[in-house]
Amino acid sequence: MSNQKNAYAKLMNRYDDVLTGRRWWSWLYMHGIWHTDDNQIAREVLATLPDDFSGKLLDVPIGTAVFTHQKYSLLKQAHIVGLDYSPQMLEITRARYNGKMPHNLELVQGDVGALPFEDASFDAVLSMNGIHVFPDKERALSEMYRVLKPGGIFFGCLYVKGMRPVADWFARNILEKKGFFMPPYFTATEFHERLTALYGSEVEVKAPCSVATFRCTKR
């Protein structure tokens, strides 16, 4: 068991290095290819939820919780459900909390294309760096819309094509071939149009680089 925990800890550290840019090579990867700072994007996205948020939040995919675990420790009045298709990702999240999972955080293995929740179950749905990974994006967006309550917010960030040629090349030729990204990809305009078709006028998409942030409210 200790060997397994050590293996998950090593994987967690690798993910953290890549996503947070805390190593010189991952800093170059983040800024040179994507021309962005994922740490700042995460702060902007998570600021959508006040620390006294008391509703029910779905985080899909929760991944390794590298950007969210500190925020979730503050959301003491919320009920948080973190869903991921990968059991390994869920184990890494458990390892991150070092056996002290918050009482209000529930981890669920499942498919975003067939969410195991009733209609209008959540006050907020968060999807950080997940939509460009989903194989059936239309189905995923419809499912996340379905489980959101009227008046609830859908927010997060994703890779959008057409903003930076080097990022588009890297997504297609490296990340896609390794199975980390899944086509097709949205441009910022296409994504805004898709969200508008679901949510109406209460849609905001910001794409200063190849990572766009978004927020919309369900009518």
Side-chain angles (χ1 to χ4, degrees), residues 33-90:
I33 293 176
W34 303 103
H35 195 56
T36 189
D37 184 338
D38 285 351
N39 302 283
Q40 178 60 33
I41 288 175
R43 285 191 291 269
E44 292 175 6
V45 169
L46 294 174
T48 299
L49 287 181
D51 293 345
D52 62 353
F53 174 77
S54 58
K56 192 172 181 182
L57 167 68
L58 172 64
D59 180 354
V60 54
I62 192 170
T64 65
V66 59
F67 293 120
T68 54
H69 72 287
Q70 291 183 340
K71 178 70 174 184
Y72 289 167
S73 69
L74 301 174
L75 299 180
K76 299 184 184 302
Q77 301 179 62
H79 177 195
I80 305 163
V81 178
L83 182 140
D84 206 288
Y85 188 77
S86 167
Q88 185 181 55
M89 287 293 189
L90 297 176

Side-chain angles (χ1 to χ4, degrees), residues 116-218:
F117 310 113
E118 298 293 329
D119 295 356
S121 297
F122 294 91
D123 300 283
V125 175
L126 167 65
S127 186
M128 286 185 65
N129 298 319
I131 293 171
H132 52 262
V133 178
F134 301 149
D136 189 340
K137 295 171 176 56
E138 297 296 336
R139 179 65 179 167
L141 289 170
S142 295
E143 277 290 276
M144 290 186 283
Y145 178 85
R146 178 184 66 79
V147 302
L148 187 62
K149 295 178 181 179
I153 57 171
F154 176 46
F155 66 114
C157 58
L158 76 159
Y159 157 68
V160 288
K161 67 180 182 180
M163 302 298 295
R164 187 166 169 80
V166 65
D168 294 341
W169 183 93
F170 197 83
R172 289 193 312 271
N173 294 281
I174 305 297
L175 297 176
E176 187 178 312
K177 289 182 178 179
K178 288 183 176 292
F180 296 140
F181 281 21
M182 296 285 287
Y185 310 112
F186 294 109
T187 65
T189 299
E190 289 168 346
F191 188 59
H192 190 282
E193 291 172 349
R194 185 65 190 91
L195 291 181
T196 300
L198 285 171
Y199 294 89
S201 60
E202 296 294 317
V203 171
E204 179 183 78
V205 176
K206 296 180 180 179
C209 58
S210 47
V211 177
T213 60
F214 64 90
R215 174 177 175 163
C216 39
T217 304
K218 185 173 181 178

